[in-house]
Amino acid sequence: MRELMAGVAGFIFGIGLLVSGMTQPSKVIAFLDVTRGWDPSLLFVMASAMGVNALVYWKLVRRRAAPMYEPTFHLPTRRDIDLRLVLGAALFGIGWGLGGLCPGPALVSASSGSLGAIIFVAAMLVGMLLQHRLARTTARP
Amino acid sequence: MHSWLLAAVGGVLIGGSAALLMLTQGRIAGISGILGGMLPPMAVDRDWRAAFLFGLLGAGIVAAVVAPQAVGASVRGTPMLVVAGLLVGIGTRLGSGCTSGHGVCGLARMSPRSLVSVVTFMATGALTAIIAGGF
């Protein structure tokens, strides 16, 4: 049941990305580029997604001692702002602005057969592996 | 349907999915984090991650059959896509999240880290799109 619900959540997430327009790189670029015929419609994706999620989090999740299929919640607790956070977000933004794809829409587009998205996802996986390796090397004393 | 209405409906589905994941698994629906946990050094909790990713990829397969126009063409050539993918891969793992984990989930939970992340990637994303659009 636990895995089934995770699978359902993944599927709904993917459909949401497809419906919202996030899987159209030209639309994402038109949203990010405020200087050339700005298309603000993707603001609604963020607003409604956050609204629904916030409602459930503050009204339901915070009142539960544990999630339905796990003994405890696994939610991030860190509140400190460090260089890794800012540098990582900055690099991610540059990649997002270049390709018009972020990880979720890239995966959905790749599985739909978009060659460009498949190339992007392959490079993204290499980037993730590189970062993992780098993190392990720098963590050594 | 108007694009802003589609955007809002899609957003409700995305937010609903993230809420479902939080309620059932107690997890954040952050795509880069879920995917990153499947790469070495692998996370121990791979079952729900794999299930979520299968569902996500399944949505793309359904789209290819039912509504192929929902997936837009790439706006860049292969070299630029490779650079973009590398930056997204490195950046999301270094910065512990992307549009979903920090954007949808973190902001909803009023996480200060997520607020800094979203402001940063929106700024560099906009700047990059503006500069790249000039060429």
Side-chain angles (χ1 to χ4, degrees):
Chain A
M1 194 62 187
R2 185 180 144 216
E3 277 72 34
L4 181 70
M5 292 309 272
V8 169
F11 185 76
I12 298 174
F13 202 101
I15 298 295
L17 291 174
L18 288 157
V19 171
S20 67
M22 290 292 290
T23 48
Q24 295 183 30
S26 60
K27 202 173 169 61
V28 174
I29 302 278
F31 164 68
L32 289 172
D33 185 350
V34 293
T35 63
R36 295 176 188 82
W38 187 43
D39 174 5
S41 63
L42 293 184
L43 273 179
F44 287 88
V45 184
M46 184 72 101
S48 64
M50 228 183 70
V52 170
N53 199 28
L55 197 71
V56 172
Y57 176 71
W58 294 98
K59 293 289 171 200
L60 293 173
V61 171
R62 298 248 308 173
R63 291 177 187 176
R64 293 180 69 100
M68 289 161 77
Y69 305 121
E70 280 276 297
T72 51
F73 280 104
H74 306 272
L75 304 176
T77 51
R78 281 181 63 179
R79 298 179 69 84
D80 61 305
I81 312 298
D82 60 349
L83 183 65
R84 290 167 55 98
L85 178 81
V86 178
L87 186 64
L91 293 177
F92 161 51
I94 295 171
W96 191 32
L98 268 182
L101 286 168
C102 54
L107 287 175
V108 174
S109 304
S111 74
S112 85
S114 159
L115 184 62
I118 293 170
I119 294 167
F120 179 93
V121 166
M124 179 175 82
L125 291 173
V126 171
M128 287 182 165
L129 284 166
L130 275 174
Q131 200 283 323
H132 287 185
R133 177 152 304 186
L134 201 70
R136 247 185 310 180
T137 326
T138 50
R140 265 181 220 142
Chain B
M1 232 192 289
H2 279 295
S3 63
W4 63 264
L5 194 58
L6 285 172
V9 170
V12 168
L13 292 173
I14 294 167
S17 156
L20 184 68
L21 201 68
M22 212 155 42
L23 267 178
T24 58
Q25 331 277 324
R27 298 280 177 179
I28 291 292
I31 309 299
S32 56
I34 294 174
L35 182 62
M38 299 297 289
L39 301 172
M42 282 184 268
V44 284
D45 55 331
R46 290 194 295 275
D47 293 355
W48 73 272
R49 292 172 191 270
F52 184 92
L53 291 170
F54 270 119
L56 190 70
L57 295 173
I61 294 167
V62 169
V65 178
V66 182
Q69 73 280 2
V71 177
S74 299
V75 289
R76 306 279 175 219
T78 301
M80 203 66 111
L81 281 174
V82 170
V83 173
L86 279 172
L87 286 171
V88 169
I90 295 169
T92 53
R93 296 307 290 148
L94 185 67
S96 316
C98 56
T99 356
S100 48
H102 279 310
V104 175
C105 300
L107 288 187
R109 295 172 57 242
M110 300 208 280
S111 152
R113 278 172 62 83
S114 293
L115 182 63
V116 169
S117 171
V118 173
V119 169
T120 307
F121 70 65
M122 282 287 184
T124 60
L127 209 61
T128 305
I130 290 166
I131 295 169
F135 292 99

